[in-house]
Amino acid sequence: MLIRRETLAKALVVAFVFNLIVMGAGAYLAYEQSPQRPAEVVGPGGDVIATNDDIVAGKAVFQQNSLMNHGSILGNGAYFGADYTADALDRLTTNMREYVARERYGASSYAALDEAEQAAVNDVVERQLSEGEFGATLELTAAEAYAYGEVRESYAEQYHDGEREAGIPAGFVSTPEDARRFADFAVWTAMFSAIDRPGTAHSYTNDWPYAPGAGNDAPVSALTWSVVAMVLLVGGGGLGIWLYSAVELPEPDAEGVDVPDPADVTLTPSQFAAARFVPVAAVLFLAQTLLGGLMAHYYIERGGFYGLASALGVDALSALPFAITKAWHIDLAILWIATLWLGIGLFLPPLLTGREPANQKRYVHVLLGALFVVVVGGLVGIWLGSQGYIEGALWWIIGNEGLEYLEVGRLWQVGLLVGFALWTALVARGFKPLLSRESRFGLAHMIIYAGGSIGLLFTASMFYTPQTTMVVTEFWRWWVVHMWVEGAFEFFVVAVVAVALVAMNLLSRRSAEKAVMLEALLVMGAGVIGVSHHYWWIGLPDYWVPIGSVFSTLEFIPLVFILFEAIGEYRAMRDAGESFPYTLPFMFIVASGVWNFVGAGVLGFFINLPLVNYYEHGTFLTVGHAHASMFGAFGFLALGLAVYVLQFTTKRGKWDGTNLRRAFWLWNVGLAWMVFIGDVPVGFLQLEAVFTANYDAARSVAFYSRDIIQTLFWARLPGDVLLILGTGLFSYDVLKKRFVRRDPTAASSDGTVISRRIFRESAGAESDDD
């Protein structure tokens, strides 16, 4: 079956418009149907317990103190501390039982009741929690009002006074009153997780978290749509295999092809400027892995680091609490990958065009400088903001916005947005000779579309403030986080790999264009709407369960395609024999395909089944999925293309890939060890704890303190060490290669060996669309 490029382009536009309509409607309904904050929360006598302003202030405390990077809310965030929704709901349930036991039976405690009396108390508590009603006023029963006050005081004690065994330093929240406001926010989320949505038999969160004592259990829809998802996986997988076999897309073919040696290609000054992004990324990567090792050890020794902190007289828990470590770890992961992609995107245009616009080198240096300012400003702002050094409204402007993956203050986010726009403009300048000669669905256009879409989706982070309700905030946050991962980033990845294959002379430009559009169509058709699997338990309507189930299942299909593509590329490389100079970059491309399939495909599909996700949401199974898919889908590919750039910039005869190859295997073994010996086993034990008790128990310090869990955390340590060693070796080799760097060469009027071939292809009949 032969598919024309024009046909693929039209289908891609249709898929984009369809996604826009679905997600636009979802945005409207998120505002209309999410649980709203009550103006007042009152007790049985009409006494005001809390107001909307208190809940809004509590959300600000939650964000300013980076509590989403200590624990989680509605299952989203860090796993070191409690899930505050589940924790508040469990505390409400426990304290209500004590109150009802005293009032109804005159007992000293709930535990003093016999089994029948306890069952009666349980029934009262469950009924009271589910029968509330949101409106301008939320009226609490006497038991609920009592429990509310107890939760407030326990939060003041825990988050202000500190609890070192839970990894919470004294003064973590600056004042007892701020801690009480945080409790107001947490209790609000707990209440709408238990109160039935009007006209339904389940709560606003579809009865998540699992808390039998509050009446929360997995909804029938979770089971129904899990079965549908598995049926779709089988059917969709078969359709994907048929499509892959039926569509005629030329695979990379190195037989009889003259692959240009990197040393034979003329490099422009702007390409050497772009190559400077590689050592910057290496430093960021090394810092990120070191922080990851510290985070992993915090689960074992919550108050220090192998006893060194106490030996040196340093209060590590206060100076560098887990919340800041986690925020920096995540942000640095995004930044080192983005830094490599920015540099690679600026390095590629002259390869294909043989031209360099005026002052391009200067503008590349401006972008690198701006990146430095944003990175340093953002990371320092996170520490200053969460440590209480930035007062007033500025905390979320220049400090830390405090939302997972979007921790940096709004000013630094705007700086990133401007940086994306500048990068897109510079890439467009570099590709200008090709842009004027190819169609709108040409390869150079695709790179610009993909890069521009990254910045476009990032604008969703501007649609909320600390005053926005948490449900709506989460809706827009996942637009940025998930649509980057499953939409724009995947599109960009495929486009960049296609350009690299064209530059290596393994694919014709027009064949690459067709491959990019097909992959983009598959990703667009599943990944964007697939973001809705994050909406099941956060307070949005239950129709997201079937939508999320279907499209999350379909996300698996393009991952299979990408894996097949990586294997096809590897075979082409192998067929090229010893003369092929890009063996090492291709090792990274294949590893990217494998880990993307394992992390985002296998583990991702498993944890995104609604019934599994109901119990698993926010456990170490998600940690394993995140590490494997992020490193696989984006990390290895970025590193492989960095190696590709280094081969071009190294002097002839000075290239040595030994250290980079060693780093490659250290990363792969370390990642496999960390995921399958550490994260996944802990995740399955957490899943068992949820089944046998409740969700809050699986996220408690008591669970993490179990001997077997501590043993698994220690067993994960070699994997962390291997990853750190691999990154250290990579960073050393990158810096070492700066001393054997080629000199820029004068540009030739007839371009480079690569650009001459590209323009010869462009000179062919463009209308002959194969």
Side-chain angles (χ1 to χ4, degrees), residues 11-20 22-23 486-487 490-491 517-531 547 550-558:
L12 189 56
V13 171
V14 171
F16 177 78
V17 173
F18 175 71
N19 278 295
L20 191 64
V22 172
M23 299 312 296
E486 300 294 346
E490 293 276 12
F491 186 13
M517 280 188 285
L518 180 60
E519 294 283 6
L521 179 61
L522 290 168
V523 170
M524 185 72 69
V528 174
I529 299 179
V531 69
I547 294 173
V550 170
F551 284 93
S552 294
T553 301
L554 295 178
E555 287 175 16
F556 192 85
I557 298 173

Side-chain angles (χ1 to χ4, degrees), residues 143-473:
E144 288 174 322
Y146 167 77
Y148 195 122
E150 292 297 303
V151 174
R152 266 184 172 170
E153 295 311 309
S154 64
Y155 270 48
E157 181 179 344
Q158 185 172 24
Y159 293 102
H160 172 66
D161 297 346
E163 186 179 348
R164 296 191 71 86
E165 58 270 24
I168 303 173
F172 188 43
V173 174
S174 57
T175 68
E177 193 59 27
D178 280 348
R180 294 186 183 98
R181 296 291 75 78
F182 170 48
D184 292 331
F185 169 63
V187 169
W188 170 67
T189 67
M191 294 299 290
F192 74 69
S193 77
I195 293 175
D196 285 348
R197 183 187 288 273
T200 73
H202 53 73
S203 74
Y204 285 83
T205 60
N206 295 309
D207 284 344
W208 189 91
Y210 178 58
N216 280 9
D217 204 344
V220 173
S221 60
L223 175 58
T224 302
W225 286 101
S226 294
V227 174
V228 172
M230 287 186 285
V231 172
L232 284 173
L233 176 65
V234 176
L239 178 63
I241 293 171
W242 171 82
L243 186 61
Y244 184 82
S245 302
V247 174
E248 295 181 21
L249 284 176
E251 295 187 9
D253 183 10
E255 185 177 354
V257 172
D258 180 20
V259 180
D261 188 278
D264 294 333
V265 179
T266 301
L267 296 184
T268 66
S270 72
Q271 287 178 293
F272 284 96
R276 292 191 173 96
F277 282 74
V278 177
V280 172
V283 172
L284 296 176
F285 188 17
L286 182 59
Q288 190 241 342
T289 55
L290 289 171
L291 287 168
L294 175 59
M295 282 172 54
H297 189 72
Y298 266 142
Y299 280 92
I300 301 169
E301 186 184 1
R302 291 188 171 235
F305 189 65
Y306 297 104
L308 294 176
S310 57
L312 295 172
V314 176
D315 186 358
L317 191 61
S318 296
L320 196 62
F322 183 92
I324 294 178
T325 307
K326 168 76 160 37
W328 282 351
H329 178 71
I330 285 182
D331 284 355
L332 285 169
I334 296 171
L335 287 168
W336 74 257
I337 293 172
T339 299
L340 286 178
W341 282 358
L342 291 173
I344 291 158
L346 294 167
F347 185 88
L348 288 173
L351 283 184
L352 271 63
T353 66
R355 308 286 193 276
E356 176 164 310
N359 298 315
Q360 184 81 342
K361 175 183 175 181
R362 178 182 303 170
Y363 295 143
V364 171
H365 281 149
V366 169
L367 179 61
L368 185 59
L371 176 68
F372 177 81
V373 171
V374 170
V375 169
V376 173
L379 295 180
V380 171
I382 287 173
W383 191 86
L384 292 174
S386 61
Q387 293 287 74
Y389 290 104
I390 301 176
E391 299 293 338
L394 286 178
W395 68 263
W396 71 279
I397 301 295
I398 64 174
N400 62 308
E401 192 161 351
L403 299 171
E404 189 183 31
Y405 293 102
L406 296 171
E407 286 86 359
V408 298
R410 185 61 57 87
L411 175 65
W412 312 115
Q413 291 181 19
V414 171
L416 288 171
L417 190 58
V418 172
F420 284 130
L422 176 58
W423 177 86
T424 304
L426 292 179
V427 172
R429 290 182 91 231
F431 274 128
K432 187 175 181 180
L434 265 182
L435 293 172
S436 60
R437 301 170 72 117
E438 68 178 19
S439 65
R440 286 176 295 176
F441 46 81
L443 195 56
H445 282 81
M446 287 291 175
I447 287 281
I448 294 170
Y449 297 155
S453 67
I454 295 174
L456 182 63
L457 286 176
F458 193 65
T459 60
S461 66
M462 307 295 160
F463 293 167
Y464 54 79
T465 69
Q467 288 73 44
T468 305
T469 179
M470 192 65 199
V471 173
V472 175
T473 297

